Amino acid sequence: FCAGEIDVANASRPIRESERAACAGAGVEFVELPVAYDGISIVVHPDNAFVDCLTVAELRELWRPESPVRHWSQLRRGFPAVPIELYGPGTDSGTFDYFTETIVGEEDASRADFTASEDDNVLVQGVSGDPAALGYIGFAYYEANAALLKLLGVDGGRGCVKPTRETIASGAYAPLSREVFIYVRRDALQRPDVAGFVQFYLDNAAELVPQVGYVPLDAADYAQGLQKAGLAGEERS
């Protein structure tokens, strides 16, 4: 993006300070535009009958580097002494970045002995085919595969909450609700094709975002995005 290879970038996490510095060093100005909410969803095999909710502390203990947890019984007393098989996004994924920072407390800090893929469909297949599995995926992928997975609640300190479109939008599903973004090079917005694309995106996001499993922002947020992009009041064919 900062090298000028693309004009618009999707992002499932906010831009890093190091990436901001790289853009500044390359003389690239950009606009950050939130476009939807997502809720990172903790899922297990549908036959799993012993767990319905995990605390943030338990998730941290499970996923931190050098975690000693190898069996479910090591995570919580009363869980069965069966091996726990973990599935999660690969290290190049923004979901991995967000989850590790939010749950473990440091971006990219994670145990390494899990099945990783940047393709959430691979993670769905893994968890749905493994009775001892646990994984984390975007809410859109859970919703599209709800018949194959069991969704867990997360207790972030105010009780157990499962991700739904309502709890994600309100922030009640904490701390795993997040905004997702597009980043646009400001100089590219001078071109009618890029400006028209961004205009269409923000004008229609409230209708289109739910169709792909994400949660729309408020109308005022999309209007603010148009203002940030310098497109408020524009009409483009």
Side-chain angles (χ1 to χ4, degrees):
F1 177 72
C2 293
E5 297 175 355
I6 57 174
D7 298 316
V8 182
N10 295 320
S12 57
R13 59 163 174 78
I15 190 170
R16 295 170 176 157
E17 287 304 316
S18 60
E19 293 164 337
R20 287 183 182 274
C23 283
V28 173
E29 296 184 20
F30 61 83
V31 183
E32 178 188 77
L33 300 172
V35 293
Y37 295 115
D38 184 25
I40 298 177
S41 301
I42 311 300
V43 294
V44 295
H45 190 277
D47 290 346
N48 185 319
F50 59 83
V51 60
D52 292 304
C53 181
L54 292 173
T55 67
V56 168
E58 288 170 331
L59 288 171
R60 182 180 300 115
E61 179 64 12
L62 179 61
W63 284 98
R64 67 178 177 87
E66 311 304 327
S67 170
V69 177
R70 298 293 182 273
H71 293 76
W72 278 98
S73 55
Q74 294 173 282
L75 188 62
R76 185 189 298 175
R77 180 176 296 180
F79 283 178
V82 297
I84 187 168
E85 303 295 336
L86 297 174
Y87 295 80
T91 57
D92 290 333
S93 165
T95 301
F96 174 83
D97 294 340
Y98 186 91
F99 183 87
T100 51
E101 181 175 11
T102 302
I103 295 299
V104 179
E106 180 182 349
E107 189 174 295
D108 296 342
S110 175
R111 66 189 298 165
D113 57 337
F114 68 98
T115 300
S117 177
E118 271 77 21
D119 184 347
D120 280 13
N121 291 306
V122 172
L123 305 180
V124 168
Q125 291 173 8
V127 175
S128 65
D130 188 339
L134 177 143
Y136 64 94
I137 57 176
F139 181 71
Y141 288 92
Y142 162 72
E143 198 170 52
N145 297 277
L148 303 175
L149 301 166
K150 177 181 174 179
L151 182 66
L152 300 188
V154 173
D155 186 348
R158 298 183 178 180
C160 187
V161 179
K162 288 187 177 182
T164 65
R165 296 191 181 200
E166 291 73 26
T167 61
I168 292 168
S170 70
Y173 180 61
L176 290 176
S177 296
R178 58 174 177 168
E179 289 181 318
V180 294
F181 307 86
I182 59 172
Y183 287 85
V184 188
R185 289 172 58 106
R186 191 170 287 281
D187 58 354
L189 281 166
Q190 303 306 309
R191 301 205 324 260
D193 57 336
V194 175
F197 171 77
V198 174
Q199 177 90 42
F200 179 87
Y201 201 127
L202 297 180
D203 281 344
N204 294 278
E207 178 183 354
L208 298 178
V209 160
Q211 296 180 25
V212 292
Y214 291 92
V215 180
L217 308 178
D218 292 336
D221 295 317
Y222 292 120
Q224 184 178 38
L226 289 169
Q227 287 187 326
K228 287 176 65 178
L231 299 173
E234 296 287 331
E235 293 185 3
R236 300 176 186 271
S237 58

